[in-house]
Amino acid sequence: MNIQKLALLLLTVASVSSLNAESVYLDGTWYIREGFDPSYTGIENAPHRVGPEGNRIPHYFLDRPFGPVQNVWQETQYPIDFSYWNQSDYKGWITLHYSFPASAIQPDSAGLEVVGDQGTEDLAIFTGFISDVSRIYVNGKLIGGLGSADPYANGSYMTYLETFPEALVAGSDTVHITIALYRGADYSLALRDSRLQMGRAAEVITWYYLQEILSFSLLSLYGAVGLYHLLLYARRRNEIHNLFFGLFCVGLTVYWFMRTGSRDLVFSNHILVRTSLEYSILCMLGPLLVLFFFHFLYGKYSRVGLGYSAFAGILALGILVSPYPTKNLLLNINNLTSVFMLFFLLYYIIRAALMKNKDAYYLLAGFILFFLGATHDILATFGVLNTPHVTRYAFVVFILGIAGTLANRFVRVHNQVEELNQNLEKKVEKRTEELQQSLQEIRALKVQQDGDYYLTSLLIKPLGGNFVEPGNVDIDILMRQKKQFQFRRWEADIGGDLIASHSIELQGKKYAAFVNGDAMGKSIQGAGGALVLGVVFKAVISRTQQSSEIQRLSPEKWLRICFEELQNVFVSFDGTMMISAVLGLVDEHTGMLYFINAEHPWTVLYRNQQATFLEDGLQLRKIGIEALTGKLSVQTFAMQPHDVIIVGSDGRDDIQLGVDLAGNRIINEDENEFLRRVEEGEGHLDRIEETILSTGALTDDFTLIRIAYKEDAPIQEDPDPNLNQKWSEIKTSVTNTGEDERNILIRKIVDLLNHVAGLQRFPSQADVLRDLAHTAVRLKDHTLAVKAYQLLLDRFPEDTDSLFRLSYQLKLTGDYLRAAEAGEQVRLRNRSMVKNLINLSDCHRLTGNLDRAKKILNEARVLEPENENVALLGEKLSDATGPAGNSTS
């Protein structure tokens, strides 16, 4: 039902009663036949009786002695008994038929002038929970259904509410309803909801929403009571009965939510997920109730209760991992067990009352009504009764019984305290006020619910955005959140995607730090994850901008720390909140890109009018998964002038291309499509968006960040075209390796090194600096080699091999701390470089950090168990460790 229909409903609710229209509850006599053919839905093939003159008589005139029902239909009573087909593992169609006089739903318009077009969409049918695949016809016309038979897609036990034009029944004395049910898997055929009805759309829909509002009002009350008792337990841990009762109320609230029509908005057609959650929660409600009563009345655990809890836990676990038929079997076992446990609880409550336990008096009345309601619902679940579940209403009296018990206990405690010390009266009053204030705050949550989306959007807004000033690195962002809404006079959007970019300084260089994240969940759930991501990332940025100690970190280590902070925060959510993200740094001078991809869509490089992916496989799982399958690795890429890097969320790929013949959406599954869109858009975000929208519609949050390096810079000229020739002359000018010649060569190398340091950075300098550093190594001038490698890496930080060589040369000069730091950078880039792991472990050994040295050496040992250097270093570490496992130094 669209927004216009809902608005029409709200405008006509006030006039519904004046039309004297009625809804027809579709119970009583139905007709059934096996199989389905479209001709079954026609009025001419409807079940009927033959009158004395051979005329057709509708079957609903049961009190008239006409002939038997025609057209091979079999008479049955509602609720329909499908046990024959369900137990025989039948696969196929079953057709049901029901008729009633059209006058039953026609408004009494005598004396009224009807304004507007007739035959508009003002009738509705509500089936309640229906299974498995369904198609509904009125007077031979299809009005809708759930699921699909070919290809099979179940619509099992979903609530179906549909409006249709009054023209379908106009001019007809009889309304013919045909329901075709298809069983194609393990889901049983079912059509037994006591609320099955058809009538005027305004009345049926109003009734449906009133029922939903009533249900949610009660659920809000029950949930608030559960949270209140959990709050009491948090303040008084010795009163463990509050924990059991709070968990029982919260669990029951979630379970009863599964019995409302609104649950389909959450779970859609994910039947196994929904039933697993619903059935497993139901299994645990009984044990929680038993544990509560025994702790509250007797102050101890019951052996029967503990055994029942273990049994129910096994059933719940079995339900989570079992196929659907087994879930149903385990649920029935639980329901039967629950009936016996209700009698068990009733016996012990009566026993406590007979033992003069005053608390039991108040509990007994509420529990009896709750007991009857729970028994009724269990019988309704088994199909013995055809009435709505009533426990949610009986639970009100049960809560009142608990409230009376708690109030009585409070009065007794108050009197005892008053007798012991009159001066405590003010403290008791203050505590009472605090409890009342807490209860008012809980009630106020419902009032504030409508503003949650808007408030969340206001919180997220300052955390995202581009805060990098244009320069060598130019950043643009594009954000299109899927959920758009209006709160009062404000329009806003909300979603789980976040983009943020900031300028920071590390080791004297300016970097553009950015993040593009996609939080798990839709709307408010995803926005919560985006909010956490934005807060943590902003906090890391702020600390970096204010802390000189953090600014001394290498870009690899900074990214690792940022990732670990996000991981530690999201892991604390126990898997309920996770994000995919790309964290990155761009050196504003050299264009060096450092980034970590945690199960986010691959990063795109746009160079020379061609788009390619920088990654070729999954590196890390989502942030928030406790056991990450991959080890943290920082990827690097040296950007060239005019290069463009594009990072985006999975909304860039999840494009709806159309619908198939069955009405199902066709979603793009080719990740290379985005590369083509980037090329068509020439690397510009607005053009990329246009090309994507020209191929389909967005189905998810859509965010992109564009990072360009020296995009508009002119072609750079070599500041010293003869540099390579100068270096060749220096190398060939000294022919011997005597001490004097060696010193001369070193002085020339130093002069050339100082000359290069004064030049503007140019790509051809990389080979000269690398060869110069290698020459210094061969001359065993480690200090000169360190200076050469440092200048090389300062201008060309992508050279990981030279970074390793720098670490080794620093170790030879005795600068073990800097050597270890450089080695850690290499390890973050390439964890499989064994020679670096050996050198890094040795550096940590020399600094006295033996635990770190052993850990890294073990990584090398796993990669190359037979490596002699690994064994030799292991012996050194063993010698450096005392008997108690501590360093001997």
Side-chain angles (χ1 to χ4, degrees):
M1 185 175 64
N2 55 31
I3 300 300
Q4 291 79 6
K5 297 175 186 174
L6 182 57
L8 179 62
L9 165 66
L10 298 176
L11 291 174
T12 58
V13 165
S15 61
V16 170
S17 58
S18 64
L19 294 176
N20 295 324
E22 295 183 359
S23 290
V24 176
Y25 283 87
L26 308 179
D27 53 8
T29 302
W30 281 68
Y31 292 88
I32 190 170
R33 66 190 298 173
E34 194 169 291
F36 172 72
D37 188 89
S39 63
Y40 296 171
T41 67
I43 298 177
E44 65 279 359
N45 290 323
H48 61 274
R49 298 182 185 274
V50 179
E53 300 178 358
N55 55 324
R56 294 168 58 96
I57 304 297
H59 72 81
Y60 48 78
F61 291 104
L62 299 177
D63 57 338
R64 302 188 183 183
F66 302 128
V69 178
Q70 305 298 308
N71 297 345
V72 301
W73 294 90
Q74 296 182 2
E75 185 176 308
T76 184
Q77 293 297 314
Y78 192 85
I80 312 299
D81 182 9
F82 293 103
S83 58
Y84 170 77
W85 293 279
N86 291 334
Q87 295 173 6
S88 63
D89 199 23
Y90 175 77
K91 299 293 188 294
W93 289 95
I94 297 294
T95 307
L96 301 167
H97 184 89
Y98 187 88
S99 301
F100 63 88
S103 60
I105 59 173
Q106 296 293 337
D108 183 7
S109 58
L112 296 177
E113 180 181 356
V114 180
V115 180
D117 297 334
Q118 300 299 309
T120 58
E121 190 174 295
D122 56 0
L123 294 180
I125 186 171
F126 176 70
T127 66
F129 298 141
I130 187 170
S131 178
D132 178 6
V133 177
S134 59
R135 294 293 181 268
I136 301 176
Y137 299 80
V138 175
N139 283 6
K141 302 297 184 180
L142 176 65
I143 65 170
L146 298 172
S148 171
D150 186 18
Y152 174 71
N154 71 70
S156 186
Y157 306 118
M158 295 177 66
T159 298
Y160 187 73
L161 173 65
E162 184 62 61
T163 59
F164 58 92
E166 184 184 5
L168 293 184
V169 301
S172 175
D173 295 332
T174 304
V175 177
H176 297 275
I177 300 174
T178 305
I179 300 179
L181 300 179
Y182 178 80
R183 188 180 187 218
D186 297 324
Y187 302 97
S188 301
L189 296 172
L191 181 67
R192 60 171 181 265
D193 199 299
S194 61
R195 301 172 294 173
L196 179 62
Q197 60 178 294
M198 175 179 167
R200 309 300 296 177
E203 182 177 348
V204 174
I205 297 173
T206 301
W207 173 88
Y208 169 78
Y209 281 107
L210 286 177
Q211 293 297 315
E212 290 294 291
I213 292 172
L214 177 59
S215 297
F216 274 92
S217 298
L218 292 175
L219 295 185
S220 298
L221 172 63
Y222 303 155
V225 170
L227 294 176
Y228 174 71
H229 280 271
L230 291 176
L231 175 63
L232 290 179
Y233 170 72
R235 299 298 298 270
R236 297 181 62 87
R237 296 298 180 90
N238 59 321
E239 295 182 357
I240 195 171
H241 57 270
N242 283 324
L243 171 64
F244 293 134
F245 186 70
L247 292 176
F248 173 76
C249 292
V250 173
L252 202 60
T253 302
V254 176
Y255 170 72
W256 280 335
F257 169 74
M258 302 290 185
R259 309 302 301 177
T260 66
S262 300
R263 60 103 185 261
D264 294 337
L265 300 176
V266 178
F267 295 96
S268 185
N269 60 345
H270 299 288
I271 309 302
L272 287 178
V273 175
R274 188 191 72 214
T275 53
S276 296
L277 180 61
E278 178 182 348
Y279 294 174
S280 59
I281 290 176
L282 184 59
C283 285
M284 300 312 300
L285 293 179
L288 289 172
L289 194 61
V290 172
L291 294 172
F292 162 71
F293 274 112
F294 264 88
H295 258 278
F296 187 73
L297 295 175
Y298 297 97
K300 63 179 181 179
Y301 289 101
S302 164
R303 292 183 181 180
V304 175
L306 292 176
Y308 175 45
S309 301
F311 176 72
I314 294 173
L315 289 180
L317 182 61
I319 286 173
L320 290 175
V321 300
S322 300
Y324 184 78
T326 308
K327 295 182 192 294
N328 265 336
L329 175 62
L330 296 177
L331 178 65
N332 291 334
I333 294 174
N334 175 73
N335 289 339
L336 289 174
T337 308
S338 299
V339 173
F340 291 107
M341 294 308 298
L342 286 175
F343 283 103
F344 173 77
L345 275 181
L346 182 61
Y347 165 74
Y348 274 96
I349 295 175
I350 296 174
R351 178 184 174 187
L354 295 176
M355 296 171 60
K356 307 298 183 181
N357 187 328
K358 295 181 180 181
D359 294 333
Y361 298 152
Y362 294 94
L363 290 174
L364 188 57
F367 181 77
I368 289 176
L369 187 58
F370 176 72
F371 169 80
L372 295 176
T375 304
H376 168 275
D377 285 2
I378 291 173
L379 294 177
T381 300
F382 282 109
V384 178
L385 299 176
N386 178 38
T387 51
H389 286 209
V390 298
T391 310
R392 70 186 71 180
Y393 311 111
F395 193 55
V396 175
V397 180
F398 184 63
I399 286 181
L400 293 178
I402 298 294
T405 303
L406 295 176
N408 184 59
R409 175 173 288 189
F410 176 78
V411 170
R412 292 201 310 268
V413 173
H414 178 73
N415 291 335
Q416 293 172 1
V417 172
E418 191 175 36
E419 292 173 0
L420 295 174
N421 191 347
Q422 293 294 335
N423 295 329
L424 294 178
E425 182 178 353
K426 292 184 179 180
K427 293 183 178 180
V428 173
E429 292 177 356
K430 182 179 179 181
R431 180 60 177 163
T432 304
E433 291 177 359
E434 291 176 354
L435 292 175
Q436 291 175 348
Q437 183 179 359
S438 298
L439 187 58
Q440 290 174 356
E441 290 176 355
I442 294 175
R443 290 173 179 170
L445 291 176
K446 181 64 176 70
V447 179
Q448 299 172 359
Q449 184 176 6
D450 292 340
D452 283 349
Y453 275 10
Y454 186 66
L455 174 60
T456 305
S457 67
L458 292 180
L459 293 174
I460 294 177
K461 188 174 182 180
L463 300 175
N466 176 26
F467 302 96
V468 176
E469 294 293 334
N472 287 344
V473 175
D474 190 14
I475 294 180
D476 293 321
I477 64 174
L478 183 147
M479 295 189 66
R480 299 286 184 267
Q481 303 286 25
K482 180 65 176 175
K483 178 65 176 180
Q484 298 182 354
F485 63 94
Q486 182 173 355
F487 175 68
R488 296 180 182 173
R489 65 177 184 273
W490 299 286
E491 293 184 356
D493 53 24
I494 194 172
D497 283 13
L498 180 78
I499 294 180
S501 60
H502 299 268
S503 294
I504 63 173
E505 185 172 324
L506 298 174
Q507 296 182 339
K509 295 183 179 181
K510 287 187 177 181
Y511 290 86
F514 66 91
V515 62
N516 177 217
D518 183 2
M520 181 182 71
K522 303 294 184 183
S523 298
I524 194 68
Q525 181 189 2
L531 180 61
V532 175
L533 170 62
V535 169
V536 176
F537 186 73
K538 180 67 174 178
V540 175
I541 293 293
S542 298
R543 289 202 309 270
T544 303
Q545 292 173 341
Q546 298 172 11
S547 171
S548 58
E549 181 178 354
I550 297 179
Q551 291 175 4
R552 288 194 290 270
L553 297 176
S554 65
E556 294 90 348
K557 193 169 184 178
W558 187 92
L559 281 176
R560 190 200 74 190
I561 291 174
C562 184
F563 178 86
E564 289 175 348
E565 289 208 21
L566 287 169
Q567 173 69 5
N568 291 336
V569 171
F570 279 92
V571 163
S572 65
F573 292 112
D574 248 356
T576 59
M577 186 180 291
M578 295 181 290
I579 59 168
S580 67
V582 170
L583 294 168
L585 290 170
V586 183
D587 188 329
E588 296 192 12
H589 176 63
T590 65
M592 182 68 175
L593 171 66
Y594 307 83
F595 67 99
I596 297 173
N597 189 326
E599 207 172 337
H600 208 59
W602 290 345
T603 306
V604 174
L605 167 66
Y606 182 69
R607 173 186 288 175
N608 298 329
Q609 299 180 341
Q610 289 186 340
T612 56
F613 289 123
L614 292 184
E615 302 104 316
D616 57 3
L618 179 66
Q619 301 294 326
L620 287 172
R621 290 294 182 185
K622 285 184 172 65
I623 298 174
I625 298 178
E626 188 168 2
L628 291 173
T629 57
K631 293 182 179 179
L632 179 61
S633 176
V634 176
Q635 302 181 70
T636 59
F637 179 76
M639 297 177 64
Q640 299 177 7
H642 310 291
D643 277 355
V644 173
I645 297 294
I646 295 178
V647 181
S649 62
D650 55 8
R652 73 187 196 184
D653 298 318
D654 298 339
I655 307 301
Q656 180 180 343
L657 304 178
V659 294
D660 58 19
L661 297 177
N664 300 316
R665 298 188 306 173
I666 302 175
I667 304 297
N668 170 56
E669 297 180 355
D670 183 8
E671 59 189 14
N672 292 314
E673 277 295 318
F674 182 68
L675 297 180
R676 290 186 275 273
R677 303 291 85 79
V678 172
E679 292 174 354
E680 291 173 6
E682 298 180 344
H684 295 282
L685 298 187
D686 53 347
R687 299 180 193 172
I688 294 173
E689 182 185 23
E690 290 176 3
T691 60
I692 290 177
L693 294 178
S694 67
T695 61
L698 301 177
T699 63
D700 198 357
D701 300 330
F702 176 56
T703 54
L704 296 175
I705 179 170
R706 178 183 188 270
I707 305 170
Y709 176 61
K710 292 186 177 180
E711 189 172 17
D712 300 323
I715 298 177
Q716 181 183 355
E717 295 183 359
D718 191 342
D720 187 356
N722 300 320
L723 180 63
N724 192 54
Q725 181 180 354
K726 292 178 181 178
W727 170 238
S728 298
E729 292 174 355
I730 290 175
K731 287 197 300 183
T732 58
S733 63
V734 179
T735 57
N736 344 353
T737 57
E739 187 63 25
D740 293 337
E741 288 79 1
R742 175 180 177 276
N743 293 333
I744 293 173
L745 179 57
I746 290 176
R747 284 196 299 271
K748 291 183 177 180
I749 291 176
V750 171
D751 292 339
L752 184 61
L753 191 63
N754 293 331
H755 171 68
V756 175
L759 298 177
Q760 187 178 2
R761 176 180 179 271
F762 195 78
S764 62
Q765 298 167 4
D767 293 334
V768 173
L769 289 173
R770 191 178 297 110
D771 195 20
L772 188 152
H774 294 346
T775 302
V777 171
R778 288 193 296 272
L779 294 173
K780 297 184 179 181
D781 191 331
H782 306 301
T783 301
L784 179 59
V786 166
K787 292 181 180 180
Y789 280 124
Q790 284 179 332
L791 181 59
L792 170 64
L793 293 168
D794 182 63
R795 299 191 172 205
F796 307 98
E798 68 273 14
D799 192 343
T800 303
D801 182 69
S802 294
L803 184 60
F804 160 71
R805 294 175 183 273
L806 172 62
S807 173
Y808 185 75
Q809 293 300 313
L810 284 169
K811 184 181 75 170
L812 294 180
T813 62
D815 196 344
Y816 304 132
L817 290 176
R818 290 178 58 199
E821 183 179 349
E824 292 285 2
Q825 285 184 257
V826 177
R827 177 172 172 268
L828 283 172
R829 295 188 188 184
N830 186 355
R831 288 181 172 271
S832 61
M833 186 185 289
V834 176
K835 61 182 181 180
N836 176 67
L837 295 176
I838 296 173
N839 176 67
L840 179 57
S841 176
D842 195 31
C843 290
H844 283 302
R845 178 186 67 84
L846 294 171
T847 61
N849 191 354
L850 300 184
D851 291 337
R852 182 70 175 168
K854 290 179 181 179
K855 176 183 177 182
I856 295 175
L857 184 62
N858 286 334
E859 294 180 10
R861 185 177 289 112
V862 171
L863 294 172
E864 293 185 9
E866 304 300 327
N867 191 301
E868 296 180 358
N869 292 328
V870 171
L872 180 61
L873 184 55
E875 294 177 0
K876 293 181 179 180
L877 286 173
S878 298
D879 294 340
T881 304
N886 298 322
S887 172
T888 58
S889 58

